[in-house]
Amino acid sequence: MTDGALSYAEPVPSDDDTGLPGYISPVDDNEEDATPPEAGDEYVPSPVPEAESNGVTITMDLIDKLLPPVPEEAAHTSDSMPEPEPEPPEEDDEESSSEDETASTTSTASTPSVEDLEPVPVAAPRRKRLPKDTIGHLEDRIAHDGIHAPLTLYNDLIAEYVKRGKIDSARDGYERSLKLYPTVASQWIAYADMEQSAGEFTKAEEVYRRAVEAVTSLLIWEHYLTYVRRRNNVITDGETARRAIIQAFEVVASKVGIDVRSGKVWKDYIDFIKSSPDGQSTWETQQKMDLLRKVFQRVVCIPVENLENLWQDYNLFENSLNKTTARKFLADRAPAYMTARSCLKELQQTSSTLDRDLIPVRPRWRESELGQLALWNRWISWELTDPLGFTSEDGKGGVPGGKEQLIERVLYAYRQALQPLRFYPQIWFDASEYCASVDMPDLQLSFLRDGAAANPGSSLLHFRLAEVYELTKKREDAKKTYQSLAASIIKEIKMAEEICEEKKNALQSREETKSIYSTTDGKPKDDDDEEQVLDNKRDHGLELKIKRVEEKGQERLAELSKDLTLCNTMYMRAMKRMEGLKAARQVFSEARKLPYSTHHIFVASALMEYHHNKGPEIASKIFEIGLRRFVDTVAFVEQYLDFLIMTNDDTNARALFERTASKLSAKDARPLFHKFYAYEAAYGSELSAVARLESRMCELYPDAKPIARFAGRYTLGEHSVIGEREVGPLVYKDILKEEQGISSASLIAEDNFEEDIVTAVPVMAPEPTKSTVKSKRAQKRARTEATGESRKRIRKKEKEKPEPRGTSSNAQQRDPFIGNTNTLPDGVMRLLSLLPPASTYKAVLFDPDALVNLIDHTRIPAVPPPNANLSRFKPG
């Protein structure tokens, strides 16, 4: 298979395109139809090139130096430890679960590629699991969910393995979970703790090394620092262990020292230096003081949570050495400290509500998720404004550094955001675009690669990654990116189909169980009819539930099919740019045979051929091939009809209309009738053809008003003199509602109509009647019809000028809102203009006209004079 091939599944029966003049068919369709590919020949996605770590580069040699060599007895502790006694098998529990266990492997710390994250096909287990087979059930659920498996499932599985003493299986569970969730710091820490508990210090150190490469987390670095201090005993090893711990503090400070929560790390670092004994010589003591001063001067310029306490400690430290030099050192750092302290308050307000320990989940766009996304974006935006003044030209920013320090802080914010928002493609994209803006192409590519691996179905990241590859002349990588995205969507489609089938089977099994338990023996014959009625109701309810499941499944499949077609369309266009038209045709030839492809791929290919060849011949052939498959798709027929009209092929346009309109139902063909009717009215050569077409439409659509078609023929852009002045806005609005959803380029849109029409037709207030059921229904209908119109009158009265009282019409006398611009304040009018139209409100409506009419016609007794004798009205 060539690079442009897209054989993902069994192709649909292809059409003969050998008759295309000048069209190069890379594959013989007849041969493919005669010998369909075998099931094992499905397309296997090429892996995305292994991503470089988007974290900071860490020198592993330095980290190795921080730890003493592991003693031989410690390295083999696990070998000498007695193995736990195996638990007795629980009715084939061990046998069923052993099939799911795999050997322990050590993966790299880089983000996994797309092929590592491919979902496991949903398959029925070989045999039914026993209820006690906890491990087997968890493995089945993880296999079923694939890349969508939650982290809690893996943790439950790991806990079960640890409980049974299967450390190798638990280790494998950690490795599998970290492939999907490499940015969860708590998972790495739990993994390292398990290795330490088992005495595997070498493996624990390897876990720490991989963890700090995979994720920039203060929590991981703090645990690693604790581990280093635990392994380096300053009492027994003396100065060697002390130097190793100081180096570890330096590494941690350089990686996460800018974090607002890192104040405790800086404090521990300073206290550790202070706790070291003074040197035997003055030079050694001076070295200790210089190191302490250097650490103080670094931290007082960073907005950390205990900044004021650290500044006070620095002040005491300098004054304890020499008060004369203290004034100089403190004065040099005072501006930077003041800037950092003022920024600390803003930073705490911005980042204090962030949920940094949130386990990444795929977005469902709930209110809580949107709130966290907005908070992270607000922090990143705050860092982008350079509040610490790193790039200030006048040098008054106070904080020493430059553009590099600003970039470091912004990238740190992005990396922190990507830990809980790993499955939000927007953050990956924004981070890569920032790297491009500061001229860091390698890091931009790293963010895009890692983001595409974490989100294998993200069109945003894959399209952008493919563009970067194409711009840098890496054509093979660009093609693999498109193929990986298409393969991921194919897997999503298959999973959606299997999930739909599972839901239907579950419904049927549930209903069968209910029917079994609902039937009882010994019923008299008189109850047979009643039982039959209950069975019929049950069957009908089951059919409705299955139908709803199928409808939702079809909606999901239609959405994914469009995603796949979009991917193939972009792939086809990219191949045309990179390798020419022949390669693009090959992509189209393979993509159009997929059973999931929609009509859009044919339209895109036809238009590509038309604009490349400057002629409609090949494009028309492609449209014809697509018409054989999508003859019942009105949207495709409309696109084909638009193309024929654009190329002035009126003969084939009329033939296409007659050929397709006769095959479609009257309801489906309605857009075609209106489109062709507008074309004949605007560009036809005979009015009789318009009349004949109008006669056919009158027979097919008797509910439509003839004036709608006639008024549509005599419009100019959005201006319709017939609708605005002669038919009346209300009547014309009803006409437009009937034509809504139909291709009507010559008709005024409903939204524009509501904004442009200023003439209002009054609505007569109903006469006061007794409150009966019929009158209530009539009032409800009147409210529905009148509320929208009264709101339009209120919205438009600012534009109307008040007329003299003597010349006002009867309508204006009946409706005080017409012609009066001073009824409500301007603020209220602006609020009313922003409210949606009344037609969007489907609940109980309030009729102001009816209320005013009720008040106007209600008889209220006259108020008695103040001196009236009301004693006769008192009770008793």
Side-chain angles (χ1 to χ4, degrees):
M1 184 184 299
T2 59
D3 292 332
L6 290 171
S7 297
Y8 305 107
E10 183 177 354
V12 298
S14 61
D15 304 291
D16 187 11
D17 54 8
T18 56
L20 299 179
Y23 186 81
I24 301 175
S25 179
V27 182
D28 189 353
D29 297 337
N30 296 328
E31 293 181 2
E32 289 195 4
D33 294 342
T35 58
E38 298 180 0
D41 295 334
E42 290 187 355
Y43 168 77
V44 179
S46 301
V48 174
E50 185 177 354
E52 301 174 0
S53 174
N54 65 352
V56 290
T57 305
I58 300 172
T59 305
M60 287 300 137
D61 295 337
L62 176 60
I63 296 181
D64 290 336
K65 295 178 182 179
L66 306 183
L67 299 173
V70 180
E72 184 176 357
E73 59 274 8
H76 300 283
T77 303
S78 61
D79 298 335
S80 60
M81 291 176 62
E83 291 289 336
E85 297 182 2
E87 297 181 3
E90 300 176 356
E91 300 182 4
D92 295 338
D93 182 17
E94 300 294 332
E95 179 182 354
S96 61
S97 61
S98 61
E99 299 175 359
D100 300 315
E101 298 179 11
T102 56
S104 173
T105 57
T106 302
S107 64
T108 60
S110 60
T111 304
S113 61
V114 173
E115 66 177 1
D116 294 330
L117 301 179
E118 64 180 17
V120 181
V122 181
R126 296 179 181 178
R127 57 188 177 84
K128 189 175 180 180
R129 300 282 187 183
L130 296 175
K132 296 182 179 180
D133 188 5
T134 307
I135 293 178
H137 287 297
L138 290 172
E139 290 284 6
D140 288 342
R141 292 182 60 186
I142 291 174
H144 177 275
D145 294 343
I147 63 174
H148 301 285
L151 187 60
T152 54
L153 279 181
Y154 285 100
N155 290 335
D156 292 342
L157 179 65
I158 293 169
E160 194 68 24
Y161 279 132
V162 173
K163 177 182 176 182
R164 303 188 182 193
K166 299 181 178 180
I167 302 301
D168 289 340
S169 299
R171 187 179 292 116
D172 176 69
Y174 275 116
E175 294 291 342
R176 290 157 57 190
S177 65
L178 289 171
K179 283 185 178 181
L180 293 179
Y181 303 95
T183 59
V184 179
S186 59
Q187 195 74 356
W188 287 103
I189 294 172
Y191 190 8
D193 289 343
M194 185 195 74
E195 298 290 3
Q196 294 181 60
S197 300
E200 297 286 353
F201 295 103
T202 303
K203 293 182 179 179
E205 293 171 12
E206 180 64 24
V207 171
Y208 278 124
R209 290 186 179 95
R210 293 167 52 202
V212 297
E213 283 185 341
V215 55
T216 306
S217 171
L218 176 64
L219 186 62
I220 290 179
W221 280 108
E222 287 178 341
H223 278 74
Y224 178 72
L225 189 59
T226 303
Y227 176 76
V228 173
R229 299 182 68 174
R230 173 188 174 189
R231 292 295 311 280
N232 293 273
N233 192 336
V234 295
I235 298 177
T236 58
D237 297 336
E239 192 62 25
T240 302
R242 194 176 301 278
R243 282 197 300 267
I245 295 174
I246 288 177
Q247 290 180 2
F249 270 115
E250 280 294 326
V251 173
V252 175
S254 63
K255 304 308 178 186
V256 293
I258 61 175
D259 197 303
V260 68
R261 304 165 299 161
S262 64
K264 183 178 181 299
V265 174
W266 288 103
K267 178 65 175 174
D268 292 344
Y269 188 13
I270 293 171
D271 292 342
F272 182 79
I273 298 174
K274 289 181 178 180
S275 65
S276 61
D278 295 336
Q280 298 179 357
S281 63
T282 306
W283 179 83
E284 293 178 353
T285 304
Q286 188 63 36
Q287 288 291 105
K288 172 184 174 181
M289 296 299 105
D290 291 342
L291 177 60
L292 197 56
R293 178 181 291 110
K294 180 181 177 181
V295 176
F296 268 124
Q297 291 179 347
R298 289 168 59 189
V299 69
V300 295
C301 301
I302 304 173
V304 292
E305 52 193 6
N306 56 344
L307 180 61
E308 294 185 5
N309 294 333
L310 291 172
W311 174 258
Q312 293 175 4
D313 293 343
Y314 179 46
N315 197 333
L316 293 174
F317 166 74
E318 291 290 357
N319 283 280
S320 65
L321 296 179
N322 190 325
K323 294 186 178 180
T324 303
T325 58
R327 286 194 293 269
K328 177 182 179 300
F329 286 122
L330 294 174
D332 290 341
R333 292 294 170 175
Y337 163 71
M338 296 301 295
T339 303
R341 189 180 67 171
S342 62
C343 291
L344 175 61
K345 297 179 180 179
E346 298 178 8
L347 183 57
Q348 287 177 333
Q349 293 176 356
T350 304
S351 61
S352 60
T353 54
L354 294 174
D355 190 354
R356 298 173 184 264
D357 299 328
L358 185 67
I359 302 298
V361 294
R362 282 170 174 77
R364 298 183 180 179
W365 309 114
R366 299 173 179 173
E367 185 177 355
S368 58
E369 297 173 347
L370 293 175
Q372 281 295 312
L373 180 61
L375 290 174
W376 283 106
N377 284 325
R378 187 175 68 175
W379 179 27
I380 295 171
S381 300
W382 183 83
E383 294 287 356
L384 286 170
T385 59
D386 190 16
L388 293 172
F390 288 116
T391 58
S392 58
E393 297 179 359
D394 56 1
K396 295 181 180 179
V399 180
K403 187 177 181 180
E404 293 76 13
Q405 281 70 24
L406 173 62
I407 295 174
E408 181 184 358
R409 289 193 64 89
V410 174
L411 291 179
Y412 184 81
Y414 272 118
R415 293 190 183 103
Q416 293 298 302
L418 286 172
Q419 294 178 29
L421 305 180
R422 175 175 173 80
F423 301 120
Y424 286 75
Q426 170 209 338
I427 305 296
W428 293 99
F429 181 84
D430 292 343
S432 67
E433 291 302 300
Y434 175 75
C435 294
S437 66
V438 296
D439 195 19
M440 302 177 70
D442 294 338
L443 194 55
Q444 176 196 15
L445 195 60
S446 178
F447 272 117
L448 289 174
R449 285 173 175 173
D450 294 349
N455 301 272
S458 170
S459 299
L460 171 66
L461 297 176
H462 282 82
F463 290 159
R464 184 54 179 156
L465 179 60
E467 282 188 356
V468 173
Y469 280 138
E470 185 178 349
L471 291 173
T472 55
K473 308 301 181 182
K474 298 179 180 179
R475 297 176 178 176
E476 292 299 322
D477 292 335
K479 290 189 287 186
K480 291 177 182 179
T481 302
Y482 285 113
Q483 292 171 2
S484 297
L485 174 60
S488 299
I489 299 176
I490 287 288
K491 291 181 176 64
E492 290 290 333
I493 292 175
K494 292 180 179 179
M495 289 186 67
E497 292 176 341
E498 293 167 348
I499 289 173
C500 182
E501 289 297 325
E502 285 185 349
K503 289 183 178 179
K504 291 193 295 184
N505 294 335
L507 286 174
Q508 291 176 351
S509 301
R510 192 182 308 163
E511 291 299 327
E512 290 176 359
T513 304
K514 288 182 180 179
S515 63
I516 291 174
Y517 284 99
S518 62
T519 56
T520 57
D521 297 333
K523 278 191 174 183
K525 292 185 178 181
D526 296 340
D527 295 340
D528 291 343
D529 295 338
E530 182 179 355
E531 184 178 353
Q532 184 65 29
V533 172
L534 294 176
D535 292 341
N536 294 336
K537 289 183 178 179
R538 187 183 299 109
D539 294 340
H540 181 66
L542 177 61
E543 291 177 359
L544 292 178
K545 293 178 181 178
I546 293 177
K547 185 178 180 180
R548 285 195 293 267
V549 170
E550 290 178 346
E551 290 176 352
K552 292 182 179 179
Q554 290 299 325
E555 291 178 0
R556 177 61 177 163
L557 290 177
E559 181 182 356
L560 290 173
S561 298
K562 290 180 181 179
D563 295 345
L564 178 62
T565 304
L566 174 64
C567 175
N568 290 333
T569 301
M570 297 300 109
Y571 185 23
M572 178 180 65
R573 293 174 179 174
M575 292 298 293
K576 178 181 179 296
R577 293 191 301 265
M578 293 187 295
E579 298 184 4
L581 187 62
K582 182 178 180 180
R585 287 171 175 172
Q586 185 173 354
V587 174
F588 166 68
S589 180
E590 294 294 331
R592 72 184 182 86
K593 299 171 186 176
L594 295 175
Y596 315 113
S597 294
T598 62
H599 68 276
H600 304 86
I601 190 69
F602 288 88
V603 177
S605 178
L607 294 179
M608 181 184 67
E609 294 283 353
Y610 171 73
H611 290 288
H612 179 82
N613 299 313
K614 314 300 180 184
E617 292 80 10
I618 299 179
S620 299
K621 291 291 184 179
I622 295 175
F623 270 116
E624 283 295 325
I625 295 175
L627 188 63
R628 300 172 193 172
R629 179 174 173 182
F630 300 103
V631 65
D632 297 331
T633 305
V634 180
F636 177 75
V637 179
E638 281 193 277
Q639 298 253 11
Y640 189 11
L641 189 60
D642 289 336
F643 172 77
L644 294 175
I645 293 174
M646 179 183 66
T647 57
N648 296 323
D649 193 354
D650 56 340
T651 302
N652 285 327
R654 290 186 175 88
L656 174 65
F657 169 73
E658 295 295 342
R659 181 173 35 162
T660 55
S662 59
K663 295 181 180 180
L664 299 173
S665 63
K667 180 180 179 181
D668 295 337
R670 193 165 189 168
L672 297 180
F673 271 99
H674 281 270
K675 180 180 288 293
F676 198 70
Y677 177 77
Y679 168 71
E680 287 283 10
Y683 309 110
S685 56
E686 294 182 0
L687 186 60
S688 58
V690 179
R692 289 193 298 270
L693 189 58
E694 188 171 1
S695 177
R696 292 173 60 186
M697 295 174 68
C698 289
E699 295 178 359
L700 291 174
Y701 313 108
D703 57 329
K705 294 182 174 61
I707 196 172
R709 291 186 289 269
F710 188 82
R713 285 161 49 191
Y714 293 93
T715 57
L716 184 62
E718 296 182 354
H719 175 66
S720 175
V721 64
I722 299 176
E724 294 174 2
R725 302 179 186 175
E726 301 183 20
V727 176
L730 286 183
V731 178
Y732 198 57
K733 178 183 177 181
D734 295 336
I735 293 173
L736 291 178
K737 283 185 177 180
E738 294 179 1
E739 304 301 328
Q740 191 175 8
I742 302 171
S743 179
S744 55
S746 60
L747 295 179
I748 302 176
E750 181 179 0
D751 294 338
N752 295 333
F753 172 80
E754 290 189 359
E755 296 294 334
D756 296 338
I757 301 300
V758 298
T759 307
V761 177
V763 179
M764 294 296 295
E767 294 294 332
T769 56
K770 294 183 179 181
S771 178
T772 61
V773 176
K774 293 184 178 180
S775 64
K776 289 182 178 179
R777 292 177 180 174
Q779 291 176 7
K780 185 175 181 181
R781 288 194 299 269
R783 287 196 299 267
T784 305
E785 297 172 358
T787 305
E789 191 58 30
S790 61
R791 179 166 294 173
K792 285 197 300 180
R793 292 198 300 269
I794 296 174
R795 189 184 304 169
K796 291 301 178 180
K797 68 191 187 69
E798 284 186 329
K799 299 181 180 179
E800 299 176 357
K801 295 181 179 180
E803 297 181 0
R805 187 177 183 87
T807 59
S808 61
S809 60
N810 295 333
Q812 289 172 328
Q813 293 176 3
R814 288 192 300 267
D815 193 345
F817 289 98
I818 299 179
N820 186 0
T821 59
N822 297 323
T823 305
L824 295 174
D826 294 339
V828 177
M829 295 305 302
R830 284 194 297 271
L831 175 61
L832 293 176
S833 64
L834 296 175
L835 294 177
S839 58
T840 61
Y841 186 73
K842 304 300 182 183
V844 179
L845 299 176
F846 175 73
D847 187 1
D849 294 335
L851 178 61
V852 172
N853 181 75
L854 177 64
I855 296 175
D856 186 30
H857 292 80
T858 300
R859 297 183 178 275
I860 301 176
V863 180
N867 55 356
N869 185 12
L870 302 179
S871 58
R872 58 192 182 96
F873 295 104
K874 293 181 180 180

